[in-house]
Amino acid sequence: GKGNYRHFMEKELHEHPVVLGDTLQQYLEPSTRSVTLPALPFDAARVPRLTISACGSAFLAGMVGRYWIEQVARIPVDADVASELRYRDPPLPEGGAAILISQSGETADNLAAMKMLRERGQKILSIVNVPESSMARESDATVLTVAGPEISVASTKAITAQLAVLACLAIGLGRARGTLSAAAEAELTAELLEVPAKAAAVLERDSEIRAMAAEVAKARDVLFLGRGPLFPIALEGALKLKEISYIHAEGYAAGEMKHGPIALIDKDVPVIALCPSGPLFEKTASNLQEAAARGGRVMAFTDEAGAGPLSRFAERVVTLPHAGTFAAPILHAIPVQLLAYHVAVLKGTDVDQPRNLAKSVTVE
Ligand code: M6R
């Protein structure tokens, strides 16, 4: 049941600290600050290319995974939505492998992509939440997310659990390839180990996020911006908002704004930014300043170090705990989901069962 919560989505959002802890615990060893993955169906040291396939929010987690695996393990990664990948006819290398991501493990397009990838000689590693699902059964190896049952059609904890697994996978692949030293592994692992407690701290920002939601609920269009591994989180914020509040929202790579969407900006358009401190901070912040200069209402999620500079021009700044550059996308996924939730509640939509949507899309 929902316990004391109004909706399953709210309950599942509040399970983030536990789910992230349970999932990371499977693959991280706190005493040695190292990663232990289950046996992979491909040679991590030699695999020439990885293809990530998923749908919806699981695909957005996969996009973050691409940034991580490329940066940490230096393996070329392609990531595409399964409905495109299955018909794209991509050239795939001998000895290549694919990573399929799905909460349900029953999504029709992704099962079809799996079949195509297998027929072309790719080994299949799946990241799924339902251990007895078709995808888990049919792949060469499975890494489980330990998110528990997810009832809300809008995915929350399953996505962050997928991010946690992908982060561990990137570290494990980096070690296997020799692109990541043991010391660097310990640093990244330490960031991840702090994520569950920091996720709990993010949930404590609830009233600030609800206040932001009251503004966003009045808008007709909303832009979400992020750069690097925060770009897919911007897409996640926009997808979640559309899905449950029916407000039109788009996610953009911050640097793409001036190539088109900046034309939309006026005083009625909230520009929601995912902008943690780190190497890309200044770049994103200057994009946001341009939006503010054109009357856009910048509302930013950042950390302590980012809050000062952003509050010079942003209408609202929500300060999250500093997660480190590697773990930041996991932590920033939570407030955009929470924001969408509060907007939907204010709009009075059917939060757990949005119109026209199914929890598991088992037809093409
Ligand atoms: O079960 P799956 O992870 O394969 O589902 C994929 C998408 O249908 C799913 O993530 C969808 O986009 C969610 N409703 C997003 O909140």
Side-chain angles (χ1 to χ4, degrees):
K2 289 186 280 226
N4 292 327
Y5 293 103
R6 288 165 295 175
H7 302 97
F8 280 105
M9 185 178 180
E10 186 184 34
K11 171 172 181 266
E12 290 163 6
L13 275 162
H14 284 84
E15 286 169 13
H16 265 122
V18 170
V19 163
L20 287 165
D22 289 351
T23 300
L24 289 167
Q25 201 190 353
Q26 300 289 310
Y27 310 112
L28 293 186
E29 178 47 55
S31 60
T32 53
R33 292 189 175 178
S34 60
V35 165
T36 318
L37 298 172
L40 299 178
F42 55 90
D43 181 355
R46 257 175 247 177
V47 67
R49 184 179 190 84
L50 292 169
T51 304
I52 294 179
S53 173
C55 305
S57 283
F59 166 68
L60 302 177
M63 269 180 84
V64 177
R66 174 175 64 180
Y67 283 93
W68 280 335
I69 295 170
E70 290 196 337
Q71 274 164 16
V72 173
R74 315 303 302 157
I75 304 171
V77 181
D78 177 28
D80 204 355
V81 289
S83 56
E84 283 300 309
L85 183 67
R86 62 181 291 192
Y87 298 119
R88 229 180 70 198
D89 197 16
L92 292 164
E94 207 175 300
I99 301 171
L100 279 83
I101 310 169
S102 176
Q103 188 283 128
S104 63
E106 303 295 348
T107 304
D109 278 319
N110 215 5
L111 289 170
M114 172 159 78
K115 185 161 173 281
M116 179 279 282
L117 291 159
R118 156 144 326 110
E119 280 165 8
R120 292 162 184 228
Q122 307 298 291
K123 292 291 185 189
I124 311 289
L125 174 69
S126 63
I127 299 174
V128 297
N129 193 44
V130 181
E132 46 297 312
S133 60
S134 308
M135 200 169 291
R137 275 199 317 272
E138 291 167 29
S139 41
D140 298 307
T142 299
V143 189
L144 292 173
T145 48
V146 193
E150 194 180 62
I151 309 296
S152 156
V153 166
S155 186
T156 55
K157 58 178 180 164
I159 300 313
T160 42
Q162 288 160 0
L163 289 171
V165 165
L166 286 160
C168 294
L169 188 64
I171 295 173
L173 293 172
R175 290 297 287 147
R177 282 179 99 81
T179 54
L180 192 71
S181 67
E185 175 182 30
E187 266 174 47
L188 299 186
T189 302
E191 278 188 21
L192 293 178
L193 286 166
E194 288 179 10
V195 162
K198 288 178 177 172
V202 170
L203 294 171
E204 280 162 22
R205 307 251 85 95
D206 194 62
S207 60
E208 272 170 76
I209 295 170
R210 207 171 336 126
M212 187 194 281
E215 294 303 312
V216 173
K218 296 180 211 154
R220 207 186 59 168
D221 307 285
V222 179
L223 274 181
F224 286 81
L225 299 180
R227 199 180 265 267
L230 275 307
F231 164 42
I233 305 303
L235 295 172
E236 163 72 353
L239 175 61
K240 219 57 88 189
L241 191 67
K242 280 184 276 214
E243 185 176 21
I244 59 172
S245 79
Y246 314 145
I247 293 175
H248 171 241
E250 292 196 57
Y252 261 93
E256 274 291 292
M257 200 184 55
K258 59 176 74 163
H259 297 283
I262 199 164
L264 290 174
I265 290 177
D266 63 21
K267 60 175 186 10
D268 298 322
V269 180
V271 178
I272 299 174
L274 291 318
C275 191
S277 63
L280 301 174
F281 177 82
E282 300 293 337
K283 297 285 172 191
T284 309
S286 89
N287 300 132
L288 299 175
Q289 205 161 358
E290 286 162 4
R294 281 157 188 81
R297 306 176 57 188
V298 175
M299 305 182 186
F301 293 104
T302 184
D303 47 35
E304 196 89 14
L310 293 178
S311 49
R312 284 205 281 275
F313 56 84
E315 178 179 313
R316 277 169 195 276
V317 174
V318 176
T319 307
L320 311 175
H322 176 67
T325 301
F326 183 63
I330 311 179
L331 218 59
H332 280 71
I334 300 171
V336 297
Q337 296 173 348
L338 208 52
L339 177 69
Y341 173 75
H342 285 307
V343 174
V345 169
L346 287 166
K347 289 248 159 186
T349 56
D350 188 344
V351 174
D352 284 334
Q353 292 285 329
R355 66 189 183 201
N356 309 338
L357 283 168
K359 178 66 182 160
S360 182
V361 184
T362 54
V363 292
E364 184 172 3

